[in-house]
Amino acid sequence: MKIAVVDGQGGKLGRQLVEKISASVKNAEILAIGTNSAASAAMLKGGADAAATGENALIVACRKADVIVGPVGIAIADALMGEITPAMAAAVGSSEAVRVLLPFNKCDTYIAGVGNISLSEIINDAVAKIADLSENVDKIR
């Protein structure tokens, strides 16, 4: 199963996702997509199989991935302090991949119902969903 982990800024969230997915999902091919080189490097250090950086890399990865995971901002133009271009948000939103988006009330976007759950709880829930998808990969699309 091809999993595109998308993150920006310093890549801290992406790195944590890569580490937990690597440990929890068998046969996962993890492609780290950073909106900048620092994010890509952080995810590579976390154990991603490969990494790429920038708008075109994200657009191509969205066409090839079975699962796209990252903060909800990856589907919102101009999110992540402007690192997500409209083309990037459109690629995530129109991909045939299953999207596992982590909710954060940041970047001028409020997600109702999220409450005050910790980053660890959000990551654990996302990884559990990806692990479930990996066991039912034939039912993804």
Side-chain angles (χ1 to χ4, degrees):
M1 180 166 68
K2 292 182 183 181
I3 302 170
V5 179
V6 182
D7 199 13
Q9 300 174 326
K12 181 180 176 184
L13 170 64
R15 181 177 179 157
Q16 290 178 59
L17 283 166
V18 168
E19 290 171 350
K20 291 202 176 234
I21 292 167
S22 295
S24 302
V25 181
K26 294 178 179 15
N27 301 320
E29 179 184 340
I30 301 173
L31 176 59
I33 304 296
T35 60
N36 60 62
S37 58
S40 297
M43 291 185 280
L44 265 179
K45 288 179 185 172
D49 296 303
T53 303
E55 181 179 79
N56 197 59
L58 184 139
I59 291 168
V60 171
C62 286
R63 287 195 305 253
K64 296 181 177 184
D66 297 307
V67 174
I68 300 168
V69 60
V72 69
I74 66 174
I76 301 171
D78 299 329
L80 276 66
M81 297 180 66
E83 293 185 11
I84 300 298
T85 67
M88 294 164 97
V92 171
S94 64
S95 175
E96 291 185 17
V98 173
R99 287 167 295 281
V100 178
L101 303 176
L102 286 70
F104 292 101
N105 291 325
K106 294 184 178 180
C107 296
D108 299 323
T109 300
Y110 177 77
I111 315 258
V114 170
N116 290 324
I117 60 175
S118 71
L119 177 60
S120 292
E121 291 172 302
I122 293 170
I123 290 172
N124 288 340
D125 185 49
V127 172
K129 178 63 177 175
I130 294 167
D132 181 57
L133 289 168
S134 73
E135 293 180 13
N136 297 297
V137 73
D138 56 324
K139 297 179 183 177
I140 286 181
R141 296 184 187 155

